[in-house]
Amino acid sequence: MPKARKKKVPITSDGRDIASSSSNPHTTRTIIRRFHLLLKKQEQLEHNAVTTSDAAELKKVNEEIASMGGLAAYQRMSSIGQGTDRGGGSERVLIKWLADMGLSQRDSTPKLRLLEVGALKPDNYASCSSWISATPIDLRSRHPAIREQNFLAMEANENREKWDILSLSLVVNFVPEPRDRGRMFCLAHTFLRESGLLFLVLPLPCVENSRYLSFEHLQSLMTTIGFREVEKKWKQGGKMAYWLYRKVERDIHSDFTPFRKRCVCKQGGSRNNFVILLQDQ
């Protein structure tokens, strides 16, 4: 008797079906990659949809995103991808780095105040609750314990030097406007206390395969803003890159000019166009 063929889940099915049928890690990754592609294409078309064909293509992209369940479905898939059965989320890297620095031994000192931007789960740092007081925020909260908040709209004076640690894990790469990406780093510098720590996570291709960004260029940009690299983790052929930066006093003579416009760092037709730009201070 022939074996029954396993029914494939269409990539453009209802978001609830996607989320419930994604126990297979490969399926999860495939759907998340499709979301990434569509969201990037949506961003490009929204900025350049001046012709009838562009408008029609944008409509088609929006319809496919909606048919997949929209941003809410993407968040569900990302949350599944961060499950303990998939190796956990990026917070594990940060927790290890902090512990290696001896910051988990804080018996007689206040807890470290951590602002987690783009949180998909409310309890990423529950295992460290004795020494970390985490405040998770996201543009569209999926849990009552996650504050719905746009990081770029947070009041600068109210948050000035308020936080010990700030996490930007897989956040900057989803900000559509390159200057807003740079503004996130500048706000992080403002929000962090003296010698505070910034945790940054990006998909490796954003740096390794970008036409306008390299590891050296990113390092120069962060130094100009006022961050010193403490830790870095990535591997050739990997998917993610992690950094830990310490806030330092910004040089009053820092020149933002080299980072105000796109500068080609690497040639090649297969490069992506991810870039981070700074505004005048």
Side-chain angles (χ1 to χ4, degrees), residues 6 19 27 31-32 68 98 102 114 124 131 143 156 162 181 187 191 201 227 238 248 270-271:
K6 187 176 179 180
T27 303
I31 296 170
I32 289 176
M68 293 175 69
L98 295 176
L114 183 153
N124 283 331
W131 54 283
H143 192 281
K162 178 178 179 178
R181 297 168 189 161
L187 280 176
F191 292 176
V201 183
F227 286 108
V248 296
S270 63
R271 303 289 184 188

Side-chain angles (χ1 to χ4, degrees), residues 235-250:
K235 64 180 179 180
Q236 197 74 37
K239 295 181 175 65
M240 310 294 292
Y242 310 83
W243 293 266
L244 187 65
Y245 296 98
R246 186 177 297 282
K247 174 182 174 176
V248 296
E249 188 174 351
R250 183 184 299 164

